[in-house]
Amino acid sequence: MKRLTRNKMMSLLVLMLIVAMIGAGCGNNSADTANSANAAQGNEAASPPAEETAEPVTLSLGLLPSIDAIPFIIAKSQGFDRSNGVDLDIQTFKSAKDRDVAFQAGKLDGLSADLVAISIYNEAGLDVKIASTTFGEFDLLTGNDDIQEVKDLKGKSVILSKNTSTQYTVAMMLKQAGLTEADIKITEVPQIPTRLELLKNNKADAAILPEPFVTMGQTAGLRVLSSTVTAGVNPFVLAFPQTAIDAKAEAIRSMYAAYDEAVAYMKSHDQAEYIDLIIKEVGYPDTLKDDIQVPAYLPANQVDVKEVENAFAWAREQGLLTRDISPEDVISDVQFSK
């Protein structure tokens, strides 16, 4: 009986040992699993959270309905602005006066302007800087068959807007032809559509016009005597007050990245793909759809110092600029070097 009891006790001890060993094995597996889970959780916690996409910074631009606005319009329509981290708020104005009112009211970060306007802004004490040149164009048109070249304008009437880049452009064209402003009869007409109508009705010998009025004039039989392109004159710039440059420098650089993308887009796509947008935003009549020639835009670049010097010299002659302001004082390096 004692031996039987002893055998049972031995069997019981062996059974308990086996159970203990199995339990230990299971415990190690559970621990490994728990440790693996904890490690995974630890690695997950250590991994940086997915970066949230920052909301693009809004940059408001005051533009006139002209060809230098087209790359900005394309950049906005194709989403190149937001993909570069900026939200372009394009506000188009029918006249430079309306644009200036909005600018002086603080409703615009930047604006399409010209070198004569830059001289006037700074003469008034506004710290406005040139961020880049833009691709604009003025053309000098005539309907007088006796006028074949700019030099033939001597003693003739020319329509323009005084104390503006249109008058400056005509002055530069005349200078290249060996004439001065005193050699012509200036008729001041600020309203661009009125200039075209007067010229079409033979009320003047020539007029300086921007697009789309140049194309409209040509389809009506007027001829181009010269242009800012052929004369090598470019008074067109994009400008920002220094306060906006200080506050939104990165957004301005992003804007230029979007601008250059728009230029590349227009080079690689048929004009038919975006011409309707240009007609709508720039103001071309639908009837001129087949006559519109979109310029071969170049990537944005900084204004030529010589251009600023020439425009400022003319502004001083006209009494528009009396302060001692140099090109270096009005050219910003926010995107391009001075």
Side-chain angles (χ1 to χ4, degrees), residues 80-147:
F80 298 145
D81 58 339
R82 295 185 71 86
S83 66
N84 281 284
V86 64
D87 181 13
L88 293 182
D89 173 22
I90 297 177
Q91 301 178 35
T92 305
F93 298 90
K94 293 183 178 180
S95 71
K97 181 179 179 181
D98 293 339
R99 175 206 61 195
D100 288 346
V101 169
F103 176 58
Q104 292 176 23
K107 296 180 180 179
L108 302 173
D109 292 314
L111 68 163
S112 62
D114 59 74
L115 296 176
V116 175
I118 295 297
S119 70
I120 294 173
Y121 293 149
N122 282 275
E123 173 72 11
L126 301 175
D127 189 9
V128 179
K129 299 290 176 61
I130 299 168
S132 74
T133 185
T134 59
F135 195 108
E137 183 176 344
F138 288 144
D139 287 50
L140 186 60
L141 276 71
T142 184
N144 188 335
D145 291 337
D146 293 334
I147 302 172

Side-chain angles (χ1 to χ4, degrees), residues 75-296:
K76 181 67 177 178
S77 68
Q78 293 299 317
F80 298 145
D81 58 339
R82 295 185 71 86
S83 66
N84 281 284
V86 64
D87 181 13
L88 293 182
D89 173 22
I90 297 177
Q91 301 178 35
T92 305
F93 298 90
K94 293 183 178 180
S95 71
K97 181 179 179 181
D98 293 339
R99 175 206 61 195
D100 288 346
V101 169
F103 176 58
Q104 292 176 23
K107 296 180 180 179
L108 302 173
D109 292 314
L111 68 163
S112 62
D114 59 74
L115 296 176
V116 175
I118 295 297
S119 70
I120 294 173
Y121 293 149
N122 282 275
E123 173 72 11
L126 301 175
D127 189 9
V128 179
K129 299 290 176 61
I130 299 168
S132 74
T133 185
T134 59
F135 195 108
E137 183 176 344
F138 288 144
D139 287 50
L140 186 60
L141 276 71
T142 184
N144 188 335
D145 291 337
D146 293 334
I147 302 172
Q148 296 298 317
E149 300 178 64
V150 175
K151 66 179 182 180
D152 297 332
L153 287 173
K154 187 171 183 177
K156 306 296 184 180
S157 58
V158 178
I159 303 174
L160 49 77
S161 181
K162 286 187 177 181
N163 298 332
T164 67
S165 57
T166 60
Q167 185 181 0
Y168 167 69
T169 296
V170 170
M172 295 301 101
M173 292 175 177
L174 292 172
K175 184 177 181 180
Q176 292 177 9
L179 302 176
T180 68
E181 291 178 79
D183 291 316
I184 63 171
K185 301 172 185 176
I186 294 178
T187 302
E188 182 177 17
V189 179
Q191 298 80 12
I192 298 172
T194 305
R195 282 185 230 162
L196 177 59
E197 288 306 311
L198 289 172
L199 191 59
K200 285 166 59 178
N201 289 288
N202 301 315
K203 300 299 182 181
D205 296 301
I208 188 83
L209 297 165
E211 289 287 8
F213 299 95
V214 173
T215 299
M216 293 165 66
Q218 287 178 302
T219 58
L222 301 177
R223 293 176 291 105
V224 174
L225 289 174
S226 184
S227 72
T228 49
V229 176
T230 57
V233 179
N234 185 13
F236 309 101
V237 298
L238 191 70
F240 292 84
Q242 186 60 51
T243 51
I245 293 173
D246 291 339
K248 297 186 176 182
E250 191 57 41
I252 293 172
R253 287 188 280 269
S254 295
M255 175 204 68
Y256 280 114
Y259 181 99
D260 288 349
E261 277 196 54
V263 170
Y265 171 87
M266 285 187 281
K267 287 185 184 224
S268 61
H269 288 71
D270 191 278
Q271 181 173 303
E273 296 183 38
Y274 55 85
I275 194 64
D276 288 336
L277 178 66
I278 292 175
I279 288 174
K280 175 184 176 183
E281 297 296 334
V282 178
Y284 283 95
D286 287 330
T287 54
L288 298 182
K289 186 172 184 177
D290 296 332
D291 298 305
I292 301 170
Q293 294 184 354
V294 177

